[in-house]
């Protein structure tokens, strides 16, 4: 497996991966219009816009296929962390997070990463060391849980 920084040419494959998993594990609890808006925010064109706006993505690649992705905005806020179903429970999410932490520690003076986790992913983030910061919150119809990972530099 290779983990590398992604670029806009990866937008289609990133979108495909995160959209499929979001449909399966997240949007089933939302009204149709909320689910549609959330999925539209993950379209290929929206991922391309994120690259243009300075978001940084790292991808895990096996046999030339993206099997995992992490996306970061505002220097330390995770917006996407997904691993394909066939590759889950193999430590890929942890490896993506660790490489992201290493890269951002070199570029920025940071001491934490934040995420607004879906209710489905809350326990995954807990296993990665994140701490819940608040009760679930609903914004624009989407439920999320603020979580923080404090870094020991």
């Amino acid at each position: 497996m290779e983990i590398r920084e992604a670029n806009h040419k990866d937008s289609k494959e990133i979108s495909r991966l995160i959209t499929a998993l979001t449909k399966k594990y997240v949007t089933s609890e939302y009204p149709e219009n909320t689910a549609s808006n959330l999925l539209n925010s993950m379209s290929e064109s929206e991922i391309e816009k994120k690259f243009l706006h300075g978001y940084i993505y790292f991808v895990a690649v096996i046999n030339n296929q993206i099997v995992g992705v992490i996306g970061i905005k505002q220097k330390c806020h995770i917006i996407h962390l997904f691993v394909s179903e066939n590759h889950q429970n193999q430590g890929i999410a942890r490896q993506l997070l660790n490489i992201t932490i290493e890269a951002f520690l070199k570029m920025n003076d940071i001491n934490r990463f934040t995420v607004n986790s879906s209710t489905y992913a809350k326990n995954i983030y807990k296993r990665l060391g994140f701490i819940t910061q608040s009760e679930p919150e609903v914004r624009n119809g989407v439920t999320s849980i603020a979580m923080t990972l404090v870094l020991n530099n």
Side-chain angles (χ1 to χ4, degrees):
M1 179 181 67
E2 170 196 14
I3 295 181
R4 62 170 173 79
E5 187 170 345
N7 61 59
H8 70 93
K9 293 177 185 174
D10 296 311
S11 297
K12 183 176 187 173
E13 207 170 341
I14 290 170
S15 174
R16 178 195 52 76
L17 175 65
I18 66 178
T19 300
L21 292 169
T22 299
K23 279 181 186 175
K24 183 167 185 174
Y25 294 107
V26 179
T27 59
S28 62
E29 62 189 56
Y30 297 142
E32 188 175 327
N33 65 329
T34 300
S36 177
N37 289 339
L38 180 60
L39 293 170
N40 286 339
S41 76
M42 299 173 176
S43 69
E44 179 180 356
S45 63
E46 290 299 314
I47 299 298
E48 287 175 351
K49 286 179 190 175
K50 287 172 176 46
F51 279 110
L52 291 173
H53 288 103
Y55 291 41
I56 296 175
Y57 283 85
F58 288 91
V59 291
V61 180
I62 297 176
N63 297 326
N64 296 317
Q65 182 180 5
I66 293 175
V67 298
V69 62
I70 187 169
I72 308 292
K73 73 174 186 176
Q74 299 170 345
K75 88 175 180 179
C76 61
H77 182 77
I78 297 171
I79 59 164
H80 297 133
L81 178 56
F82 291 88
V83 175
S84 70
E85 287 185 288
N86 292 338
H87 296 89
Q88 291 177 4
N89 298 310
Q90 296 176 26
I92 294 173
R94 183 172 302 282
Q95 289 177 58
L96 283 164
L97 179 62
N98 288 342
I99 284 183
T100 302
I101 290 169
E102 287 176 28
F104 275 78
L105 284 174
K106 290 176 187 172
M107 295 186 298
N108 303 291
D109 181 26
I110 61 170
N111 61 4
R112 67 187 65 233
F113 273 87
T114 59
V115 66
N116 294 324
S117 173
S118 68
T119 52
Y120 174 81
K122 177 184 173 184
N123 288 330
I124 296 166
Y125 282 108
K126 279 186 166 186
R127 285 195 310 267
L128 292 171
F130 284 77
I131 300 166
T132 303
Q133 299 297 308
S134 68
E135 294 298 315
E137 211 175 285
V138 178
R139 272 187 246 143
N140 299 321
V142 176
T143 304
S144 63
I145 303 160
M147 300 183 80
T148 301
L149 175 66
V150 177
L151 304 176
N152 300 323
N153 323 14

